[in-house]
Amino acid sequence: MKSNIVWRWTAMAGIVSTLLLVVGFGYGVNDILNPQGMELSVDTSTPKQPPATSDFAAKTSIQVASIGDSLTRGTGDPSGEGYVRKVVKQLSVKLDKPVKLLNNLGINGLRADQLVHKLDEQGFKNAITEADLILLTIGGNDIFNSALDGDFTSQSFELDTLLDKVDESSKDLKKILLQIDELNPNAKIVYIGLYNPLADIQSMRQIGDTVVQRWNNLAAATINKHPNMTLVPTADLFQAALPSYISSDHFHPNALGYEQIAYRVIQGLAP
Amino acid sequence: MNSILPLVQNETIKMIKKKRFLVIVLILLVLIPIFTYAQMKVAQNNREKFKDWRHTLQQQITDNENSLASDRVPDEWKKYRKIMVQQWQYYLDHDVDPSTPNGVTFVRSFMENSSSLFIPLMVMAVASDIVSSERTSGTIKMLLTRPVRRWRILLSKLLTLTLFVGLIILTTFVLCYLIAGLVFGYGGWDQPIFTGFQINGVEVDNSAVHPVPQWLYLVMQGGLIWFSSMVVAILAFMISVLVRSTAASIVTMMAALIAGSLLTNMASSWPSAKFLFMVNLQLTTYLAGSPPPIEGMNLIFSLMILSIWALAALFVSFRVFTKQDILN
């Protein structure tokens, strides 16, 4: 008799679950084959508010967002920290309050024109809007891309072509800076200036320096108009001591190079 | 129909006496807590490192975009990641968290991941020896000397197997929910999940995307898993008819399944692999909108391939079982 009861329960449970699954199968197939697309309303009832003040001293904790290219990513630093994590760490010590990295949105190979579009993405907006401090590197790929490919001899590496490129991409940088400022007018925006990764190649040195200087000047022209923006120069570091600061790919800084960049950023933020 | 019911009853009782189902439950009871613990660690880590899920998701997107730039990453992976990035972007744009840590979400991702190997493996555990064990133990003679037609006997075994496939999937669901709920809470039934992503090459078409509540998603997912599990069960059933020893029958099926999961990872270089049943088992990818293992596969195609394999297996099973001589 006992096995009779067991059988009954097993059969019942088995039939019920099979029926349920068969119905689910029907629904699933129907849903995949005839998807009913619908316009979705996004709940924007509570938009993120930018911080109320830009004064670090008045805050209990600092939130950092970093955007840009491979330098922000930390490429070339074996520890993976890059200047971003070093800044976060040292700033926390200097200010004696928690400093938190919201997002490191550095993307290898990103160019300024691509970043302009990225800033429309919701995730970028979230991070920028909530941050107290925004770290930015961009531009190196716009200008030195052809150098990375080892393409020194072609048209693309003549001074005039490069200077044209600089003028073109600087407009994108300006757009980026203004867009960040609009999203979060109370954040401190730190732009890390370009350096010349070709400083130790005799034939390239002068061209590289000229181009980098032009770029940094154009960047400064925008940054100077906004008190919440800072330009941190790096060109001088890599001019004289390039071999000690550059990584083996001859483009990105190494750990020591990032250390120096971080140090400079900190100097400007928390004297 | 009346005479089949006692046979099914008989088979079900045999199955329960063999304690196979109990073993499955025990396996689940051991494995699910392990995965729950791992998932809990991930959630904890995200909570420590990120302020809210939006930042976690954005970081996930950016990290994947970074790997897209690398030449070292194989093209198929890039394609997969590109598609996933677009889906995550959709979730982010609509302010919906795709992986809120709760019991129901855990069940969803557990089922998703176990649909190609784990659940078929458990189905095999009951299916592989359903006929061959009768031979190993010699009871097949007792069974066949009864005044019952052979196909009825085989059909009763098949029906019993169907009952147990349903039971296995439902038990996995329930145990998963109960155990994961202890850690993540029992909520999340109404949470919206997006489905209907159409994939064209590497582009995701969002025009047909719509939200479904997570409970409905689970039901649909379960149904799709049920279908592929039934196909596995029927194939294991056939092998159990063809092969005398239970061990041989289990090994055959297992080899096929594992080959399948390996193939899905590298099948893109061999397009004809899409006609193999084991590459088509993960029907849930079509619901989730993740890219199929081989380009050009879609739900209809997979269902057809699976059905053809299953029908062929049924034909062979019944044909062989009703005709063959039982020797010892």
Side-chain angles (χ1 to χ4, degrees):
Chain A
M1 261 305 90
K2 185 177 162 258
S3 63
N4 208 356
I5 295 171
V6 172
W7 142 249
R8 240 173 232 170
W9 276 102
T10 316
M12 283 292 276
I15 290 170
V16 168
S17 51
T18 307
L19 283 180
L20 183 70
L21 291 169
V22 170
V23 171
F25 176 69
Y27 261 97
V29 170
N30 182 47
D31 194 274
I32 297 170
L33 295 182
N34 311 305
Q36 303 294 317
M38 56 160 107
E39 210 38 60
L40 298 166
S41 58
V42 185
D43 179 27
T44 47
S45 51
T46 49
K48 291 269 187 283
Q49 291 298 321
T53 164
S54 60
D55 185 14
F56 280 4
K59 297 176 189 193
T60 50
S61 77
I62 310 289
Q63 323 231 42
V64 183
S66 60
I67 55 178
D69 53 22
S70 46
L71 260 73
T72 299
R73 193 80 204 155
T75 310
D77 183 352
S79 71
E81 283 192 323
Y83 78 93
V84 175
R85 293 228 172 253
K86 292 183 205 290
V87 165
V88 169
K89 258 192 218 164
Q90 292 172 27
L91 195 61
S92 175
V93 175
K94 267 271 167 88
L95 294 174
D96 196 24
K97 55 181 78 168
V99 177
K100 204 164 156 44
L101 183 61
L102 285 176
N103 268 145
N104 182 345
L105 302 179
I107 298 175
N108 289 326
L110 195 71
R111 296 188 314 268
D113 57 310
Q114 294 169 316
L115 183 55
V116 173
H117 296 296
K118 285 267 169 214
L119 290 180
D120 291 333
E121 287 178 14
Q122 196 53 47
F124 275 72
K125 284 186 188 164
N126 287 338
I128 291 170
T129 314
E130 288 171 51
D132 302 302
L133 169 63
I134 295 162
L135 302 169
L136 170 68
T137 61
I138 197 75
N141 295 307
D142 298 65
I143 296 167
F144 291 113
N145 238 353
S146 50
L148 253 191
D149 300 339
D151 192 11
F152 291 114
T153 47
S154 76
Q155 270 278 314
S156 61
F157 221 75
E158 274 165 22
L159 186 57
D160 289 344
T161 341
L162 280 176
L163 288 179
D164 285 348
K165 239 190 239 177
V166 167
D167 293 347
E168 197 57 41
S169 299
S170 280
K171 288 179 199 152
D172 290 325
L173 176 64
K174 188 175 177 183
K175 270 187 223 160
I176 293 166
L177 288 167
L178 294 180
Q179 216 165 331
I180 295 175
D181 183 54
E182 192 182 323
L183 282 169
N184 188 345
N186 282 333
K188 289 194 177 169
I189 303 167
V190 175
Y191 175 71
I192 286 102
L194 283 192
Y195 58 87
N196 177 13
L198 309 169
D200 62 344
I201 303 173
Q202 209 51 50
S203 57
M204 291 294 125
R205 180 183 176 118
Q206 212 187 339
I207 297 182
D209 281 350
T210 316
V211 168
V212 163
Q213 201 188 350
R214 170 86 152 244
W215 173 274
N216 288 339
N217 281 343
L218 288 171
T222 310
I223 289 170
N224 291 344
K225 284 182 202 142
H226 300 266
N228 58 338
M229 296 183 191
T230 324
L231 172 70
V232 172
T234 56
D236 53 332
L237 286 176
F238 292 83
Q239 216 156 22
L242 186 84
S244 354
Y245 292 144
I246 204 97
S247 73
S248 51
D249 66 5
H250 220 278
F251 189 69
H252 298 105
N254 58 18
L256 195 59
Y258 280 121
E259 191 78 51
Q260 300 305 323
I261 297 176
Y263 187 57
R264 292 213 157 160
V265 174
I266 294 290
Q267 280 179 316
L269 288 172
Chain B
M1 198 62 210
N2 277 337
S3 61
I4 196 94
L5 207 59
L7 287 174
V8 175
Q9 178 177 6
N10 186 29
E11 288 299 331
T12 308
I13 290 167
K14 270 197 266 180
M15 189 77 96
I16 294 168
K17 287 266 160 69
K18 270 194 277 185
K19 300 212 165 66
R20 215 33 78 72
F21 190 68
L22 207 65
V23 171
I24 290 175
V25 172
L26 281 178
I27 292 176
L28 287 172
L29 282 178
V30 173
L31 277 183
I32 295 173
I34 294 177
F35 288 118
T36 309
Y37 182 76
Q39 191 63 47
M40 191 183 79
K41 281 282 163 200
V42 173
Q44 233 168 34
N45 180 44
N46 283 345
R47 249 202 318 272
E48 266 167 34
K49 298 259 164 69
F50 294 100
K51 214 177 90 184
D52 69 28
W53 65 267
R54 291 175 193 84
H55 295 111
T56 318
L57 193 58
Q58 179 57 45
Q59 199 62 56
Q60 202 175 344
I61 291 173
T62 306
D63 290 349
N64 275 278
E65 279 176 331
N66 265 303
S67 74
L68 290 179
S70 164
D71 291 329
R72 227 174 46 77
V73 179
D75 281 346
E76 301 91 80
W77 295 13
K78 280 191 190 173
K79 203 182 122 189
Y80 180 82
R81 287 178 194 177
K82 253 183 213 160
I83 288 167
M84 291 318 288
V85 162
Q86 290 172 73
Q87 290 195 10
W88 292 328
Q89 196 65 55
Y90 190 86
Y91 275 93
L92 202 53
D93 288 345
H94 291 84
D95 211 31
V96 171
D97 183 358
S99 52
T100 325
N102 58 45
V104 184
T105 307
F106 179 85
V107 176
R108 177 169 60 88
S109 60
F110 184 85
M111 294 308 280
E112 176 92 47
N113 290 319
S114 50
S115 68
S116 65
L117 197 58
F118 186 54
I119 291 178
L121 223 57
M122 291 193 297
V123 168
M124 264 173 47
V126 293
S128 285
D129 70 340
I130 197 161
V131 179
S132 57
S133 68
E134 302 268 7
R135 298 211 199 152
T136 322
S137 61
T139 46
I140 185 109
K141 285 182 198 158
M142 251 78 95
L143 207 58
L144 294 186
T145 46
R146 297 263 189 92
V148 183
R149 293 216 160 171
R150 278 196 188 186
W151 66 265
R152 279 180 185 271
I153 291 177
L154 197 61
L155 183 64
S156 71
K157 282 185 181 294
L158 186 62
L159 289 177
T160 311
L161 189 54
T162 310
L163 284 184
F164 274 90
V165 169
L167 276 178
I168 287 172
I169 296 175
L170 208 73
T171 310
T172 316
F173 262 98
V174 171
L175 286 180
C176 228
Y177 179 62
L178 291 180
I179 295 172
L182 285 177
V183 177
F184 299 115
Y186 291 101
W189 292 102
D190 290 333
Q191 190 192 318
I193 297 294
F194 290 123
T195 173
F197 295 99
Q198 310 287 320
I199 296 164
N200 306 315
V202 292
E203 293 307 314
V204 178
D205 175 7
N206 288 335
S207 61
V209 173
H210 54 283
V212 292
Q214 197 158 230
W215 66 265
L216 181 60
Y217 190 92
L218 277 186
V219 173
M220 298 194 289
Q221 188 188 37
L224 293 169
I225 293 174
W226 173 81
F227 188 86
S228 48
S229 300
M230 273 313 289
V231 174
V232 171
I234 289 169
L235 286 164
F237 183 73
M238 173 187 76
I239 293 180
S240 175
V241 171
L242 296 177
V243 179
R244 288 175 150 265
S245 107
T246 303
S249 137
I250 290 183
V251 167
T252 315
M253 240 359 242
M254 200 121 97
L257 282 179
I258 292 174
S261 75
L262 291 179
L263 269 176
T264 14
N265 287 330
M266 50 190 196
S268 53
S269 47
W270 180 37
S272 320
K274 66 183 173 188
F275 296 108
L276 296 171
F277 78 91
M278 48 279 206
V279 179
N280 287 288
L281 284 178
Q282 213 162 359
L283 296 174
T284 49
T285 52
Y286 302 117
L287 191 62
S290 29
I294 299 172
E295 211 170 332
M297 287 168 62
N298 57 38
L299 181 69
I300 299 276
F301 176 84
S302 287
L303 288 180
M304 293 238 301
I305 295 291
L306 290 177
S307 307
I308 290 170
W309 278 82
L311 288 176
L314 279 180
F315 178 77
V316 171
S317 312
F318 278 88
R319 180 96 191 154
V320 169
F321 192 77
T322 48
K323 296 277 187 252
Q324 84 185 146
D325 295 324
I326 303 296
L327 306 165
N328 233 23

